Amino acid sequence: MVQQPLGDSRDASESQHLRDVGSDIYDTASAGFPALSSNSLTTYPGDLANIASRSSAKKSLNVDSPSFTPTQLGGKKSNFSTNATPFTPRGANSSTTTALQQDTGASLYKSAPFPEFAPQNYDLNTATTTNGSTDSGSLGFDPFSMSTVSQALPSTPYNPYAEDHNALAGAGAPYYTAQNSYTAPSQPLQYHMYYPITTAREHLQPYQRQVYDLFLPENIREDLQKKSEAARQVLQPGVHLPSLQHYHSLVPLDTKIRGATNTLGLPSWVFKATSRKNGNVFCLRRIEGFRLTNEEAIKAVNSWKKIIHPNIVTTIEAFTTRDFNDSSLVFVHSYHPLSKTLAEHHFSTNRFGRPTAVPERILWSYLVQLASALKAIHKAKLAARCIDVSKVILTEKNRIRLSACSIQDVLHFEVPRRVEELQQEDFFSLGRLILSIATNTPPRNLGDFRLPLEQLGRTYSMELKERISWLLSPPQSITAKTAEHLVYDLAQHADDVLVASLDTEDELTTHLGRELENGRLVRLVAKLGSINERPEFDGDPNWAETAERYTLKLFRDYVFHQVDAQGNPVVDLGHIISCLNKLDAGIDEKIYLTSRDHQSTFVVSYKELKKQLQGAFSELLKAGSKPQANRGY
């Protein structure tokens, strides 16, 4: 309520004038202006003055007029509140031409009762958005249920090492059915368990070692574990691929959908499969839509089985199948986990700018390795016919292998060509491959070789340019180019590759020696675990607590259960490894052993402990080799 002084007629008339102005305001609103509430009058006094100025017939306000203050709830009802139009949000089905209805009987502060909100099955796929407008970019899923979310998930198993996860799902769409429920992706191994927490300490004494110095380096361990996990990867439950002869557990290795035409001329798909014969993992390449008309064609694979070379993927066998509901030809090769083609390695999309140039030593390494592979192939009176960036795979650091061998011989068996002519094409394909990688240009975009060769000469040495020009030049005679001649010309760079390979071999041999020591310690721990705390042996419950077995139990406490003066556990990996190595060697050093209650003490050497360990473990082995008695069932 606005408090007015008694007897002041001027203030009363001013208040009456404000009510008249308010009535004019809402008359103006009914004529087409937007409706205003009491809050609007308080917040926007400028708008109030503008609207009041339109009613020239009414009295104007002066500077002595008191400020407007809205009345409290339950007070006297104002004149303009009865004619106020309540705000009604415009919905999806409401028309913009429909006139707003006024509620003349409701008070401004006494609104109509609203129903209590109850959550319904609200569909976010509808096109209705704010203020009744429509938006074509509406959400495409319902966050209150997982049915629509699971449909958007890839139907192929999650591969944590794939560079493009969505492409793998697209490649499997023709073969895999949609999943009915959400399946969490498999988590990778915990590689950080062996990773050094701190940096390597400097100025260590020759006899000092850190913990991670006793195991494989973290990068080699992680790489080997990733390859092991990739080799054991299977499809998630509910997704099945057919078994091909004695190969089962097929897993697609293609990460992108390729067109109907590729280097082989027919669509091809690559799978990983396990053999029922020996349990090994192999790589299966399926040629889709090929009908074998001559049985002699598939026998051409037999010649490739004899070629065993470190830069050639070994060919195992080839067979036809109809398990994919068509006529398909399947080639079986050796499997190299986590390998990638040179096209994926060098021509991948780089969104951070211009790709960097490949070092020249790597190009020479590629050239030397492929030349060595061609020498082995041409010596067997064969031709590779598959030297392409999509068919040469990178299996290790700068280690390449020629894959997809023998496929062209079977596919084009009906169109025979001279082996010498095909071998000359191998040299041309080799030169085009090196030129494509050096200039960062896909082979299909090379066109005329003169411009790429000029670009190559500005970046790399003249020797490399001349060697590639020799490979791309047409032969003067049918026997002008030979693999032996190429290898002879690359002798200097072949020596560099040989030195790098031998250095890598020495490094891996050193790391393997560390794991050999770790294997000896594991065998000791396994023997101690088999003897200590054995509940019963040969009918004697106290077998593990008597004779030399009791000494081994105290030695176990001495190695693994040490405590400090305050009784806190002491975990010293150096002490554990040192004691186990001394036990394995059986040295004459003596140690002091005591029981947990300090009632029994022994002074014994590692040599005596080793004899006791071998004797107790031999008793277990003899007992385990005895035939079991008939238990009557």
Side-chain angles (χ1 to χ4, degrees), residues 181-228:
S181 60
Y182 176 76
T183 304
S186 59
Q187 298 297 327
L189 298 177
Q190 303 297 332
Y191 307 110
H192 64 274
M193 294 179 61
Y194 300 95
Y195 197 84
I197 300 177
T198 59
T199 57
R201 291 171 50 193
E202 298 180 359
H203 309 295
L204 290 177
Q205 298 297 329
Y207 58 87
Q208 291 180 332
R209 294 291 183 273
Q210 290 186 326
V211 173
Y212 52 86
D213 291 336
L214 305 173
F215 305 97
L216 279 177
E218 62 277 0
N219 56 342
I220 298 179
R221 179 183 296 277
E222 181 177 352
D223 183 61
L224 293 177
Q225 287 177 339
K226 283 182 178 181
K227 290 183 177 181
S228 176

Side-chain angles (χ1 to χ4, degrees), residues 153-166 168-169 179 182-188 229-230 233-236 239 251-252:
L153 295 175
S155 58
T156 53
Y158 176 81
N159 186 0
Y161 313 115
E163 296 180 355
D164 189 359
H165 304 291
N166 297 327
L168 183 60
Q179 300 302 302
Y182 176 76
T183 304
S186 59
Q187 298 297 327
E229 186 178 5
Q233 184 182 12
V234 296
L235 291 177
Q236 58 186 0
V239 181
V251 177

Side-chain angles (χ1 to χ4, degrees), residues 239-459:
V239 181
H240 300 283
L241 287 177
S243 298
L244 307 179
Q245 292 190 2
H246 57 274
Y247 298 99
H248 64 91
S249 303
L250 271 69
V251 177
L253 299 180
D254 293 297
T255 57
K256 295 181 181 179
I257 296 181
R258 294 186 297 272
T261 304
N262 52 20
T263 354
L264 302 177
L266 291 173
S268 63
W269 308 94
V270 184
F271 302 90
K272 173 186 74 71
T274 305
S275 175
R276 291 190 180 93
K277 292 183 177 179
N278 49 23
N280 295 333
V281 182
F282 295 94
C283 176
L284 274 61
R285 184 181 294 272
R286 172 201 172 202
I287 308 299
E288 181 181 350
F290 177 79
R291 185 179 299 274
L292 186 66
T293 58
N294 191 347
E295 294 183 357
E296 297 295 329
I298 206 169
K299 294 182 180 179
V301 180
N302 296 332
S303 301
W304 287 95
K305 294 180 182 179
K306 304 176 183 178
I307 299 180
I308 308 297
H309 193 271
N311 297 115
I312 301 176
V313 178
T314 307
T315 302
I316 307 300
E317 62 176 337
F319 57 89
T320 58
T321 181
R322 292 185 176 272
D323 292 329
F324 292 99
N325 298 325
D326 66 349
S327 179
S328 298
L329 180 63
V330 179
F331 291 87
V332 183
H333 296 88
S334 299
Y335 174 61
H336 299 276
L338 298 184
S339 60
K340 59 173 62 175
T341 63
L342 292 182
E344 296 173 346
H345 183 65
H346 291 289
F347 299 106
S348 58
T349 304
N350 187 2
R351 59 179 180 176
F352 299 103
R354 190 174 181 179
T356 58
V358 181
E360 184 172 349
R361 59 179 181 83
I362 295 181
L363 296 177
W364 284 115
S365 176
Y366 290 170
L367 191 56
V368 168
Q369 295 179 66
L370 292 178
S372 177
L374 287 182
K375 179 182 177 183
I377 294 175
H378 293 180
K379 188 176 181 180
K381 306 299 180 182
L382 298 171
R385 308 178 68 178
C386 58
I387 302 180
D388 188 78
V389 290
S390 62
K391 298 297 179 290
V392 179
I393 62 175
L394 184 69
T395 58
E396 302 288 345
K397 182 179 179 180
N398 301 335
R399 174 73 179 276
I400 59 176
R401 299 174 189 265
L402 189 60
S403 66
C405 294
S406 75
I407 297 180
Q408 295 284 8
D409 293 348
V410 178
L411 296 182
H412 302 285
F413 183 80
E414 299 294 338
V415 187
R417 297 178 58 185
R418 295 181 54 187
V419 177
E420 293 80 4
E421 180 183 355
L422 296 176
Q423 290 178 353
Q424 296 304 311
E425 291 184 359
D426 288 343
F427 294 110
F428 178 82
S429 300
L430 176 59
R432 184 178 58 180
L433 182 142
I434 301 299
L435 180 62
S436 174
I437 297 176
T439 58
N440 194 31
T441 305
R444 62 179 180 273
N445 299 335
L446 284 177
D448 189 6
F449 294 130
R450 289 178 295 180
L451 293 179
L453 285 175
E454 293 180 1
Q455 179 184 355
L456 177 70
R458 292 192 297 266
T459 308

